[in-house]
Amino acid sequence: MRVNRWKMTLMLTMCSLLLFLTACGGGGTGDNSATPGPAVNADNLSGVVKFAVFSYPVDDGIDPVTGSNVKGMKTMLKPFLDKHPKLTVEYIEVPQDNRKAKFQSLLLSGSVDVLILDSSIDFYNQGFLMPLDDYLKRDNWKQNYYDSLWLDKERFTNATDGKVMALPGIVNTSTVMYDKQIFDDWGVAPLSDKPTAQEILEKAAKLTGINPKTGKQTYGMYYDPRSSSHMMLDYFSDGNGVQLGETDWANFGNSKLNFNNPQIKKSLQTLIDMNSSLPPGYEIGRGFENWGKVENNVAICLWCSKTDEILKNKLQDRYVVTKGVRDKNGKTSYGTAQTYTMAKDTKNPEAAWQVLKYITGAEGQKAIYDNYKYLPSWKNADWVSEKDNPYAKQLLTVVEDTKNVLFPPIMFSLIRPWMAELISRANHGQKYDLTAEMADIQEKINKWVEEQKVIDASKNKK
């Protein structure tokens, strides 16, 4: 037992250090398997399900954003548990900070059954998550969600074995919004329902300057490079989408990533050249404080999902939602959903599956909508009211039409921070050498891929 405890401690330490490189191996995708019993077992659930809750409170409380009283996960699951008095759910509240390490620790120790994750691909490829295809087929369940969501290979459908890794919860989508009043003031035609990147660039330039009606400065567009420069790289790529090469999601060491290419260089230069249409300080999240208010001075919001201020001020007729940025194939991005998964090593698989089904099903998503007004991934969500959110229908249309863009982990650990820093330097008139810097980034990417080969070998070792 002492040796086993020492091994577990060592594994936890290694995984914490190598977490973002998808280090720890739990058996690989080939070890993920489960054969569900007959559905009749669902009527007689018992035992314990351990539920790791992230992004919702466990207990009832006050929503810090809206100030409204909201129900916690315990209350939202109560109707389900009332039907299954022999079943107990134990809640594990996962904090925002260092949450991935917490998930890894829970899965390594086998002390969790159901989890809410940011994404599931890393943990699935480590062999920690249950493939759900047999359950979905048995209960005729998969078709209840927007079909496009299953194309998300980071969260729901594994790129390597084609298995379903998780169920969708509430919808996460960002699109393009614009202030119709500013367009009218300048005499510029509104954005198309599904604009191209070129249309946005051209109109943003026309909307930057002293507003001829108000006499005040307006800016053509806004985005935050720190959090969304990767999506801007995709948007402003001549409609082709960003091409980073091939990512092997099961073994990153087999990836063939090509960042240093002319198409990406052109997109980066476009992001730099856009500076003149953006408000001062946008590179650190400033210049957007009046969005959703009468005194707003930004015409177009890229990668936009915030409607609370608009609805509070009853300005929904002024602020318009588009269906994203159209690529050459007529597709837009971005739309996906919150990720609910089931641990492969669950000791109570049928009960865990039923908890998963409930919270991502009609009753669970309605409870979340009633409390938080989050939009559902459930197709037939007749409880969504345009009175509550007049943008709901349009945002869900974005999800139906999404293409989903997948980026390897190094995008977020290396490339995106560098892009944000590059854009900031350019915005402040500092020198930059795009050719040399892109070559340097490519070298770092190549080194990362080589490092992954060592990690993959350790992960796949039998």
Side-chain angles (χ1 to χ4, degrees):
M1 289 297 290
R2 289 178 182 173
V3 174
N4 288 339
R5 287 173 183 164
W6 181 85
K7 284 183 177 179
M8 178 61 73
T9 302
L10 181 60
M11 286 179 72
L12 285 169
T13 302
M14 290 177 64
C15 285
S16 296
L17 291 171
L18 300 174
L19 194 53
F20 292 101
L21 300 179
T22 320
C24 293
T29 56
D31 291 339
N32 293 50
S33 60
T35 302
V40 68
N41 291 342
D43 297 329
N44 191 29
L45 302 178
S46 61
V48 175
V49 169
K50 297 178 180 179
F51 187 0
V53 179
F54 158 64
S55 75
Y56 297 99
V58 168
D59 298 301
D60 298 351
I62 305 294
D63 187 321
V65 176
T66 65
S68 304
N69 291 316
V70 291
K71 305 298 183 186
M73 192 57 72
K74 281 183 183 177
T75 300
M76 291 191 286
L77 270 177
K78 188 176 184 300
F80 171 77
L81 293 175
D82 286 345
K83 297 176 184 177
H84 303 285
K86 297 179 182 179
L87 180 67
T88 300
V89 172
E90 293 181 358
Y91 300 91
I92 305 163
E93 194 157 15
V94 178
Q96 289 274 351
D97 295 339
N98 208 27
R99 58 186 179 272
K100 197 169 184 181
K102 177 66 172 178
F103 293 139
Q104 189 97 28
S105 175
L106 289 169
L107 289 163
L108 270 170
S109 61
S111 55
V112 67
D113 302 294
V114 175
L115 307 89
I116 306 175
L117 299 174
D118 294 298
S119 68
S120 54
I121 188 167
D122 287 358
F123 296 124
Y124 183 86
N125 284 341
Q126 292 175 56
F128 288 129
L129 304 181
M130 183 83 77
L132 303 174
D133 301 77
D134 290 340
Y135 288 95
L136 290 165
K137 183 177 179 180
R138 184 196 72 181
D139 294 354
N140 196 27
W141 197 251
K142 188 176 181 181
Q143 75 282 356
N144 290 314
Y145 306 92
Y146 289 109
D147 295 338
S148 62
L149 297 175
W150 302 114
L151 301 176
D152 188 334
K153 294 178 173 59
E154 188 178 0
R155 292 170 178 80
F156 302 113
T157 303
N158 189 269
T160 302
D161 63 11
K163 299 286 188 181
V164 172
M165 304 178 286
L167 293 187
I170 57 120
V171 158
N172 295 322
T173 185
S174 291
T175 182
V176 175
M177 297 183 71
Y178 66 92
D179 183 337
K180 185 177 179 295
Q181 183 62 56
I182 293 178
F183 277 74
D184 290 344
D185 289 349
W186 281 92
V188 175
L191 288 179
S192 303
D193 195 38
K194 196 191 289 186
T196 63
Q198 188 60 35
E199 178 186 349
I200 291 171
L201 288 173
E202 290 173 358
K203 291 182 176 177
K206 293 178 181 178
L207 296 163
T208 300
I210 301 300
N211 188 313
K213 289 286 182 69
T214 66
K216 296 181 179 179
Q217 176 73 43
T218 60
Y219 297 94
M221 57 184 165
Y222 174 87
Y223 79 100
D224 188 339
R226 300 169 302 175
S227 59
S228 59
S229 55
H230 62 302
M231 288 307 304
M232 297 306 108
L233 194 68
D234 184 74
Y235 282 176
F236 297 102
S237 57
D238 290 338
N240 293 310
V242 66
Q243 306 296 320
L244 287 173
E246 300 176 6
T247 302
D248 186 326
W249 290 92
N251 294 285
F252 288 124
N254 294 333
S255 300
K256 298 176 181 178
L257 303 179
N258 180 21
F259 180 78
N260 189 15
N261 64 65
Q263 291 76 25
I264 289 180
K265 185 177 183 179
K266 184 178 180 182
S267 292
L268 282 169
Q269 190 61 58
T270 298
L271 297 188
I272 292 169
D273 294 342
M274 284 163 44
N275 277 336
S276 58
S277 294
L278 288 119
Y282 81 93
E283 73 278 3
I284 55 173
R286 294 179 181 171
F288 195 57
E289 294 80 8
N290 290 325
W291 181 260
K293 300 176 182 178
V294 172
E295 58 270 30
N296 173 53
N297 63 340
V298 174
I300 302 168
C301 173
L302 302 169
W303 194 243
C304 200
S305 61
K306 293 179 73 75
T307 60
D308 292 345
E309 190 70 23
I310 298 169
L311 297 176
K312 184 180 78 173
N313 295 317
K314 299 181 180 179
L315 293 173
Q316 54 266 31
D317 291 337
R318 174 173 164 177
Y319 290 85
V320 181
V321 173
T322 74
K323 294 177 182 174
V325 179
R326 184 172 82 248
D327 66 13
K328 288 187 175 179
N329 297 313
K331 288 292 184 181
T332 68
S333 59
Y334 157 86
T336 187
Q338 200 171 52
T339 308
Y340 287 75
T341 63
M342 189 164 119
K344 185 192 73 174
D345 292 336
T346 175
K347 298 175 180 62
N348 199 349
E350 185 60 44
W353 165 248
Q354 294 300 331
V355 169
L356 198 64
K357 267 180 65 178
Y358 180 83
I359 198 60
T360 64
E363 291 181 75
Q365 291 206 44
K366 182 179 185 301
I368 291 172
Y369 177 83
D370 288 344
N371 282 281
Y372 300 92
K373 295 297 178 280
Y374 295 156
L375 297 178
S377 58
W378 193 259
K379 276 183 187 175
N380 299 319
D382 56 5
W383 61 84
V384 175
S385 166
E386 287 198 23
K387 183 179 179 182
D388 293 331
N389 185 351
Y391 296 111
K393 185 176 181 180
Q394 188 80 327
L395 289 171
L396 291 173
T397 300
V398 173
V399 174
E400 289 178 0
D401 197 39
T402 189
K403 68 176 182 179
N404 277 311
V405 183
L406 298 180
F407 297 100
I410 197 166
M411 169 59 78
F412 308 104
S413 61
L414 171 69
I415 302 173
R416 187 172 69 181
W418 166 74
M419 286 195 295
E421 190 262 343
L422 170 71
I423 290 165
S424 179
R425 276 188 281 132
N427 196 25
H428 288 88
Q430 299 176 23
K431 291 183 179 180
Y432 62 91
D433 185 336
L434 204 48
T435 300
E437 292 187 43
M438 287 183 67
D440 180 61
I441 291 294
Q442 183 64 54
E443 285 187 17
K444 292 177 180 177
I445 292 171
N446 295 341
K447 182 180 178 182
W448 177 80
V449 171
E450 288 300 312
E451 290 170 346
Q452 300 311 299
K453 291 179 181 178
V454 177
I455 294 168
D456 292 340
S458 173
K459 178 181 69 177
N460 295 322
K461 189 176 181 180
K462 297 297 182 182

